[in-house]
Amino acid sequence: MAFSIRLSKEEKLLAESYAKLHSVSLAEAFRRALFERIEDEYDVVVAEEAYQEYLENPKTYTHEDVKGLLDL
């Protein structure tokens, strides 16, 4: 899929500079930025869900507790 994006002159220069710094094409720089943003937002949602679950049941386990359960 292809798409276009409108950038100001300054934005274009910044994006090109970033892509060059990381030795990637401009398209690859935008692709990476998009998917990193999606991953970051997903991580926030998962963390919020885990925190809500913890608030509902604040029981925690140590690594040793879990290892002991797995060794059964």
Side-chain angles (χ1 to χ4, degrees), residues 50-51 53-66 69:
Y51 182 63
E53 185 177 318
Y54 167 76
L55 291 176
E56 292 170 12
N57 180 13
K59 174 77 173 136
T60 59
Y61 300 91
T62 66
H63 288 287
E64 290 77 23
D65 293 337
V66 174
L69 292 172

Side-chain angles (χ1 to χ4, degrees), residues 6-52:
R6 294 184 200 282
L7 300 173
S8 69
K9 190 175 197 176
E10 293 80 19
E11 290 169 334
K12 182 180 178 191
L13 290 172
L14 180 60
E16 288 172 339
S17 176
Y18 178 86
K20 185 175 181 179
L21 177 68
H22 292 281
S23 301
V24 296
S25 69
L26 194 53
E28 180 62 21
F30 277 103
R31 185 178 302 111
R32 287 182 185 180
L34 172 64
F35 286 103
E36 285 176 16
R37 178 66 183 257
I38 291 170
E39 289 175 16
D40 289 347
E41 289 186 19
Y42 176 78
D43 290 344
V44 168
V45 169
V46 170
E48 288 173 353
E49 289 173 356
Y51 182 63
Q52 287 303 316

